[in-house]
Amino acid sequence: MKRISFVVISIMLFTAMSIAEAVSDQEMYGVNDATAVPAKTGDRTLIETGGTPYAESTVPYSAECDVTSNTRIPGIIQTERHGSGTNPDWGTDILVIDDTLATDANLLRASDGTLYVVYKYMGPLISANSAVTICRSTDAGESWSWILDASVDDTTEIYNLDIVFEEESDSTFIFAMCNAQDDDIWLLRYNITAQTTDWVEVTTGYVFDPALDQLELPGSEYMYMTYVVYDSILRFRASSDYGATWTSSYQVHTGGTVHNPDIRMLAADEIWSYIVWDNGPVTYSKANDYVGFGGWEALPLKIHNFRGGSDDVNGQVTGFYDSDTAWVVAEENYNNTGDWNIVWDYTYDGINWRNDTMFPDIDLANDPARDEKYFKLLVSANAANQARVVYNTQTTSADTRVDYQFCQYGSWTATTNLSDHLAKVGTSPSVNYVQAAGGGAIVYCGYNAIWYDNYWNTAVQEIPIENTQIRNLSLSPTISRDIARLSFTIRNAGQVNVSLYDATGRMVDALVDGTLAAGEHSVNIEARNLSAGIYFVRVETPDGVGTETMTIVR
């Protein structure tokens, strides 16, 4: 009960604080038409959204390269198409839709439990009239219905699809960014609540591989993107109106062969922007916390050389919005032997990266007969220190299956050979969390359809470990002026984190962050420099999670 009380109190207080600060975006971020002033609320440095962008004339290739467009068109919305509709459970997998040429399926979850699958529909002629297609389930994935196809025009193929799902108090959106009309970048804006759609042409001319994310703060309409110009320049843009208009571009990196970028915005003690990309066979990243958009190029590079002698490609960056922790995940050609695995680094501060500590790599064994590739990682969807990863495992040239792993407190549980149908090579499955099922859910593209499966059809128990599994957890005294002493016992050696939070849910101090042996342990909490008020001490161990309350009096 203590753990539950802590979570509820923290969320309520943090939400109330956020609502109180939910002024206009211009006030919140210090933006006006002429300049941008970095604004601060407490100790949280907020986003600078103005300044002077890099002049387009610095691009040496062509004056037509990377030109801001901001053109908006309604696009083409189809409301009838053969093959759409609902189908019952097929074995243990449920048919979402029977599109033979479907790729890039993404599984999205709304707070009310509604599920969406967004994917690329190739169209009857493959290159003609391809579309962003959306399907929906209102019964935890048991049945699915097709909603719409959204095309830029009658003849254009879309590719390099990236999806963002956004919920506000009055509206819910699906944003889909892609390449279309030769090499231009377009953004589909689908307002689910209002049932409206439009397309925004963001930029034109030799621009590729767009990646999109949004800043999840109450009332914020900010969106951010990164993309590649030709194959050697990485750039960044921002929007303050849900993608209706975009800034000019800011340079992030140049040199070498740049491809497959990804972007992630995190908002906790600080607001971070992470960009990760491939430079040849090496995964690079930059972390901006926030020096302003014009400062991207000067930021130091992090080279993620997960294990020496191996190529690391197709990197992704992920994290949970209420956490400062970010993960960079990549596919690795183990010692360049042809055995592909999934590896990652994580960081608390964007500077110091830790490899293989919290989440072990997927398949460290040298087994070239099995390649783990084309993955999606979901972190902390329903509880801290949980992660879910889904990926394709190619056992032979004729057999590709979907495998799934669930992690809690550093311990992985694998569900292999999950799919009833062959998974399509070259397109990754997608993973999310379904509250009604109490665990993970996946979608994947087969060769004749998109399929859905969830936790009910696996043997994995994905229930968060309860507080009662930490033995002898006590804090003395619970009311303190100077020093308090926390005592606890763990049965299993492993990673232990002890953190001190104030009443708003903000972490004040990391008291323990390391590996502890099994047995009894104690931690002294220095209270001399703490303000009077209520604090929470959160203990995370291989045995479970516990929370104690401490009151400081002056």
Side-chain angles (χ1 to χ4, degrees):
M1 292 300 295
K2 291 178 180 176
R3 176 176 177 268
I4 296 173
S5 298
F6 164 68
V7 173
V8 172
I9 290 172
S10 296
I11 291 175
M12 289 176 64
L13 288 171
F14 183 80
T15 303
M17 180 187 66
S18 300
I19 293 173
E21 295 173 359
V23 295
S24 70
D25 285 308
Q26 288 199 345
E27 291 178 39
M28 180 176 287
Y29 300 103
V31 182
N32 56 45
D33 293 337
T35 185
V37 180
K40 291 188 176 182
T41 302
D43 62 353
R44 177 179 289 184
T45 303
L46 296 176
I47 303 296
E48 178 187 351
T49 57
T52 304
Y54 282 83
E56 303 300 335
S57 61
T58 62
V59 180
Y61 298 95
S62 168
E64 298 178 353
C65 171
D66 192 14
V67 178
T68 302
S69 172
N70 288 331
T71 300
R72 294 174 62 182
I73 64 172
I76 298 174
I77 304 298
Q78 298 176 345
T79 57
E80 295 182 3
R81 176 163 55 84
H82 175 71
S84 65
T86 302
N87 219 302
D89 193 355
W90 184 281
T92 58
D93 290 350
I94 296 172
L95 180 67
V96 175
I97 194 166
D98 57 353
D99 276 350
T100 302
L101 299 175
T103 60
D104 302 328
N106 293 263
L107 179 60
L108 310 176
R109 173 179 58 90
S111 58
D112 65 0
T114 302
L115 298 175
Y116 298 89
V117 171
V118 184
Y119 68 97
K120 174 185 174 181
Y121 167 62
M122 291 292 295
L125 300 179
I126 299 180
S127 62
N129 193 29
S130 63
V132 176
T133 298
I134 303 175
C135 299
R136 178 173 58 199
S137 172
T138 58
D139 55 8
E142 290 299 303
S143 62
W144 292 84
S145 58
W146 168 72
I147 300 176
L148 60 81
D149 289 338
S151 305
V152 176
D153 55 39
D154 284 328
T155 60
T156 295
E157 179 189 5
I158 63 172
Y159 55 100
N160 295 329
L161 185 64
D162 197 21
I163 307 298
V164 164
F165 185 73
E166 166 73 358
E167 285 186 294
E168 290 290 347
S169 60
D170 58 350
S171 297
T172 300
F173 299 89
I174 291 176
F175 299 98
M177 182 167 274
C178 60
N179 279 116
Q181 289 189 337
D182 298 322
D183 302 320
D184 300 344
I185 293 176
W186 288 81
L187 175 68
L188 170 67
R189 310 187 315 152
Y190 172 42
N191 186 325
I192 299 172
T193 307
Q195 288 296 294
T196 59
T197 60
D198 69 354
W199 285 92
V200 178
E201 187 182 42
V202 178
T203 184
T204 68
Y206 311 103
V207 287
F208 307 96
D209 290 343
L212 179 70
D213 202 10
Q214 97 296 33
L215 185 63
E216 191 164 296
L217 286 176
S220 174
E221 298 182 6
Y222 278 83
M223 305 191 75
Y224 307 88
M225 62 177 290
T226 187
Y227 58 99
V228 177
V229 182
Y230 288 93
D231 62 354
S232 60
I233 301 172
L234 184 66
R235 289 197 166 173
F236 170 94
R237 290 175 185 257
S239 169
S240 60
D241 52 12
Y242 282 142
T245 59
W246 292 81
T247 66
S248 296
S249 60
Y250 297 78
Q251 195 150 298
V252 177
H253 177 77
T254 185
T257 302
V258 178
H259 52 104
N260 296 329
D262 194 19
I263 187 170
R264 186 67 169 171
M265 304 297 299
L266 299 179
D269 289 338
E270 297 183 41
I271 294 179
W272 287 91
S273 179
Y274 290 90
I275 294 179
V276 60
W277 69 96
D278 293 345
N279 243 71
V282 180
T283 299
Y284 285 1
S285 71
K286 285 187 176 183
N288 195 335
D289 72 335
Y290 217 91
V291 299
F293 297 158
W296 269 111
E297 192 167 29
L299 290 172
L301 282 172
K302 166 61 180 177
I303 301 176
H304 298 271
N305 187 10
F306 298 90
R307 289 176 290 180
S310 301
D311 289 348
D312 303 307
V313 297
N314 296 329
Q316 297 176 15
V317 59
T318 190
F320 186 53
Y321 280 105
D322 290 337
S323 170
D324 284 321
T325 304
W327 285 260
V328 167
V329 195
E331 299 167 6
E332 181 177 83
N333 184 358
Y334 181 52
N335 290 331
N336 293 338
T337 61
D339 177 25
W340 287 90
N341 304 282
I342 300 174
V343 292
W344 45 63
D345 284 351
Y346 75 96
T347 181
Y348 291 129
D349 57 12
I351 301 171
N352 300 298
W353 291 83
R354 309 181 184 194
N355 174 247
D356 303 343
T357 303
M358 184 173 292
F359 297 137
D361 296 327
I362 300 296
D363 185 11
L364 290 178
N366 186 9
D367 58 347
R370 293 185 177 182
D371 288 342
E372 291 76 25
K373 298 181 70 176
Y374 307 114
F375 66 92
K376 290 289 177 63
L377 176 69
L378 178 71
V379 176
S380 301
N382 65 304
N385 289 327
Q386 289 191 352
R388 295 170 174 86
V389 62
V390 64
Y391 51 95
N392 287 347
T393 296
Q394 187 167 1
T395 56
T396 68
S397 59
D399 180 27
T400 300
R401 72 190 191 205
V402 177
D403 288 348
Y404 168 83
Q405 295 204 30
F406 167 71
C407 178
Q408 185 163 252
Y409 308 114
S411 177
W412 284 98
T413 302
T415 304
T416 60
N417 204 19
L418 188 67
S419 52
D420 295 336
H421 308 273
L422 284 177
K424 187 174 293 184
V425 175
T427 182
S428 65
S430 183
V431 63
N432 215 306
Y433 170 78
V434 176
Q435 183 71 36
I442 68 164
V443 295
Y444 67 96
C445 293
Y447 282 89
N448 64 344
I450 295 178
W451 301 95
Y452 168 88
D453 199 2
N454 64 26
Y455 160 78
W456 282 330
N457 294 325
T458 74
V460 181
Q461 297 297 313
E462 295 186 356
I463 302 171
I465 297 173
E466 295 298 330
N467 179 51
T468 53
Q469 293 188 280
I470 297 184
R471 301 174 61 190
N472 304 325
L473 178 62
S474 65
L475 179 69
S476 179
T478 56
I479 299 178
S480 176
R481 292 180 183 271
D482 297 319
I483 296 178
R485 186 177 182 85
L486 177 78
S487 300
F488 58 94
T489 303
I490 58 175
R491 292 170 293 180
N492 300 290
Q495 175 72 25
V496 173
N497 294 283
V498 180
S499 304
L500 180 66
Y501 294 84
D502 64 17
T504 69
R506 182 178 66 89
M507 189 174 75
V508 176
D509 194 6
L511 303 171
V512 177
D513 180 7
T515 301
L516 296 184
E520 297 180 358
H521 298 275
S522 62
V523 179
N524 287 337
I525 303 172
E526 294 284 348
R528 293 183 180 90
N529 297 323
L530 297 177
S531 302
I534 297 174
Y535 293 83
F536 302 95
V537 185
R538 181 179 174 87
V539 184
E540 303 173 40
T541 79
D543 297 340
V545 174
T547 304
E548 290 290 324
T549 302
M550 178 176 67
T551 302
I552 303 296
V553 296
R554 294 293 180 220

